[in-house]
Amino acid sequence: MAESSNNVVETINRDCHDFKSLLSSSDRDFLVRNNGDQVKIDSLKGKKLGLYFSASWCGPCRRFTPNLIEVYTELSTKGDFEVIFVSADEDEESFNGYFSKMPWLAIPFSDSEARKRLDEPFSVKGIPHLVLLDENGKVLTEEGVEIIREYGEEGYPFTPEKIQELKDLEEKAKKEQSIKTILVSRSRDFVVTSDGSKVPVSELEGKTVGIYFSASSFKPSADFTQKLAEVYSKLKENGEKFEVVMISLDDDDESFKQSFGAPWLALPSKDKSCEKLARYFELSTLPTVVIIGPDGKTLHPNAADAIDEHGIVAYPFTPEKFAELKEIEKASEATQTLESVLVSGGLDFVLGKDGAKVKVADLVGKTILLYFSAHWCPPCRAFTPSLVEVYKKIKEKDDAFEVIFISSDRDQSSFDDYYSGMPWLALPFNDARKSSLSRKFKVQGIPMLIALGPTGKTITKEARSLVMAHGADAYPFTEERLKEIEAQIEEMAKGWPEKLKDERHEEHELVLTRRSNYVCDVCDEMGQVWSFYCEECDFDLHPKCALEKETKADAKEGWVCDGEVCTRAS
């Protein structure tokens, strides 16, 4: 049997693979369908094959399989393409349940050796993985998943020449982009209204069009939809030639209907072009509104923030308009106050620890940290205790300081549980100001800490890194304070050797190095700022440990070691 396996591997490693040697075993010359029928491997001669490595437990596999089924169904009429399922399931029940939805063939689950031996030669390091072979057994590509996602059945017969042809067409389409090349597909030349009526794409020519990528299950999208609907309605009332076409990324018709409550147009639910357009416009965040000008060219890759902040003032979304908005934002920042940041309509307060409403006006003149965080976020939970400690130290020295928690928690209970361990103020859970603050400060991830000075102007958006590096000493987070800290750091190391040899790390010389946080490999204590460091071995020696011998032996007079660092005595 071992000799047989070796022969198979040798066959696989050739330029062209013999299907029978590739897919059979010593006691099996057939593949199976999900109804139990056996199909002779010899019947695959002259066909192109897709070896589909997948498993029921794999989420990305389950999401990709329907795409592959759709392509397979389209190509089945040609009669020269087949897919072979190579399962990574761990039990036969899971295999059968998953395979029951597949219209193609499979290596029997019982033949685990045949399934496993295909992993290495076809570079299966993750799933889903799709290897495409031509009728002679030559590997066309091991990037079948990406090709199916990108081109679908249009990629057939999946040769390098065909894929290059499609890429060239895409490049040409981008250069000659028009509203038709964006929205028209081979099977559809229309978009739809919320009642299902069809509107020819040709009617959008000569208009400014917002291509709105949305998902109803994603709260930021749902919130933004309301804002966009307001702007859309006002522009239409003003007689502007503006239209919105929604590209729904929802997986089901019900979610599509929920997100299609606004009065604009859309691609039909689950239209093949939705994912294609997401790739075409290199979608990276939601919500996204790509602005297409009257000439069909892209005016702006994502005007969502501008629409949210400036409303109809952002129209017509031209480069000149965005330059104008930038100047408006600069002027706004120059006159920014705490009240302009935190007061919105009748919302002019934050919550105190006892649940009382604290007027924003009462916080004017203080240095404020806006803490964007959430209980479900592990980095947030890890950072919060450090911030609590820093908060208490700063408050002991200066009461003109406060932190305001701005929650991204998903429910009131999580908010209450998380906030119970915080000694500062907070916006109420689900407060309408949260989304506008996130947009204003461009919060892309949490935890994030924004420092506002006593005048209300933004000092820094990098307060978290300052707290992590310098703790309470970073207060009040100004450039002047950072320069003082930097001078202190440099002064601290005056007179220290730039390099030294130490018997506790005889392999290499240790170099005096700036290190934000580390654990000394000798005393096991946390260290900051300076370390005698070996990069090759990732070895840290605290200055206290490195210099204490000389200090104790009076070899270096005038040094003081305080348990954390050694500095020159003043």
Side-chain angles (χ1 to χ4, degrees), residues 535-549:
E535 184 177 9
E536 186 172 344
C537 303
D538 193 25
F539 178 91
D540 283 287
L541 187 61
H542 197 292
K544 173 192 69 172
C545 299
L547 303 172
E548 65 183 356
K549 289 183 179 179

Side-chain angles (χ1 to χ4, degrees), residues 52-114:
Y52 182 38
F53 299 83
S54 185
S56 64
W57 48 261
C58 164
C61 296
R62 293 195 305 273
R63 289 191 290 274
F64 174 70
T65 296
N67 293 353
L68 185 57
I69 290 174
E70 191 174 347
V71 170
Y72 178 85
T73 302
E74 289 286 335
L75 297 178
S76 61
T77 56
K78 297 181 181 294
D80 64 349
F81 177 66
E82 190 54 78
V83 172
I84 314 297
F85 174 37
V86 185
S87 175
D89 280 306
E90 298 172 353
D91 61 82
E92 192 161 7
E93 183 179 358
S94 299
F95 167 83
N96 289 334
Y98 192 33
F99 186 40
S100 68
K101 302 178 180 69
M102 300 177 180
W104 44 70
L105 304 174
I107 294 176
F109 180 79
S110 57
D111 198 344
S112 58
E113 182 182 345

Side-chain angles (χ1 to χ4, degrees), residues 156-170:
Y156 181 85
F158 311 116
T159 59
E161 294 78 13
K162 180 61 177 179
I163 301 306
Q164 187 58 51
E165 177 189 332
L166 292 173
K167 288 181 178 179
D168 291 343
L169 287 173
E170 280 186 351

Side-chain angles (χ1 to χ4, degrees), residues 66-231:
N67 293 353
L68 185 57
I69 290 174
E70 191 174 347
V71 170
Y72 178 85
T73 302
E74 289 286 335
L75 297 178
S76 61
T77 56
K78 297 181 181 294
D80 64 349
F81 177 66
E82 190 54 78
V83 172
I84 314 297
F85 174 37
V86 185
S87 175
D89 280 306
E90 298 172 353
D91 61 82
E92 192 161 7
E93 183 179 358
S94 299
F95 167 83
N96 289 334
Y98 192 33
F99 186 40
S100 68
K101 302 178 180 69
M102 300 177 180
W104 44 70
L105 304 174
I107 294 176
F109 180 79
S110 57
D111 198 344
S112 58
E113 182 182 345
R115 290 186 286 115
K116 290 178 181 177
R117 77 185 179 210
L118 296 176
D119 285 355
E120 184 176 347
F122 288 116
S123 307
V124 184
K125 294 181 172 58
I127 54 176
H129 186 78
L130 181 64
V131 180
L132 296 169
L133 303 94
D134 70 10
E135 57 273 13
N136 298 312
K138 181 180 179 181
V139 175
L140 295 172
T141 179
E142 292 182 353
E143 305 297 326
V145 171
E146 289 73 19
I147 286 174
I148 293 295
R149 283 176 176 158
E150 186 78 21
Y151 303 110
E153 65 271 13
E154 292 180 13
Y156 181 85
F158 311 116
T159 59
E161 294 78 13
K162 180 61 177 179
I163 301 306
Q164 187 58 51
E165 177 189 332
L166 292 173
K167 288 181 178 179
D168 291 343
L169 287 173
E170 280 186 351
E171 196 61 34
K172 182 180 178 183
K174 283 188 177 182
K175 291 178 181 177
E176 301 174 359
Q177 179 180 296
S178 69
I179 197 66
K180 283 187 175 180
T181 64
I182 294 170
L183 295 177
V184 172
S185 67
R186 288 195 303 174
S187 60
R188 178 189 46 72
D189 62 357
F190 59 86
V191 289
V192 297
T193 62
S194 57
D195 62 5
S197 301
K198 296 178 180 180
V199 176
V201 171
S202 59
E203 292 190 10
L204 301 178
E205 293 181 318
K207 294 183 178 181
T208 298
V209 178
I211 307 295
Y212 176 36
F213 292 91
S214 176
S216 64
S217 58
F218 187 52
K219 192 173 186 302
S221 285
D223 292 342
F224 178 74
T225 294
Q226 298 177 17
K227 179 69 175 183
L228 182 59
E230 293 173 10
V231 170

Side-chain angles (χ1 to χ4, degrees), residues 244-368:
V244 170
V245 177
M246 186 183 74
I247 312 297
S248 174
L249 302 180
D250 289 308
D251 295 328
D252 58 89
D253 291 336
E254 190 58 39
S255 297
F256 172 79
K257 290 175 183 176
Q258 289 178 10
S259 62
F260 199 12
W264 45 61
L265 306 171
L267 289 191
S269 175
K270 295 184 286 189
D271 190 279
K272 293 179 184 178
S273 295
C274 292
E275 289 191 13
K276 186 175 180 180
L277 286 172
R279 291 189 294 272
Y280 179 83
F281 287 112
E282 300 178 358
L283 183 68
S284 61
T285 187
L286 291 177
T288 286
V289 182
V290 180
I291 302 298
I292 308 299
D295 61 354
K297 308 303 180 186
T298 301
L299 277 178
H300 199 279
N302 187 8
D305 286 345
I307 290 170
D308 205 20
E309 187 161 346
H310 301 286
I312 62 171
V313 176
Y315 185 80
F317 314 111
T318 58
E320 295 78 14
K321 175 57 72 171
F322 276 93
E324 181 184 322
L325 294 178
K326 193 169 184 180
E327 291 303 315
I328 292 173
E329 288 174 2
K330 284 183 181 178
S332 176
E333 288 174 6
T335 58
Q336 179 177 298
T337 65
L338 187 64
E339 288 164 311
S340 72
V341 171
L342 288 176
V343 174
S344 176
L347 298 172
D348 62 352
F349 64 90
V350 293
L351 293 180
K353 286 304 295 179
D354 55 0
K357 295 180 178 180
V358 177
K359 292 285 187 180
V360 172
D362 294 338
L363 302 175
V364 172
K366 294 188 176 186
T367 296
I368 304 290

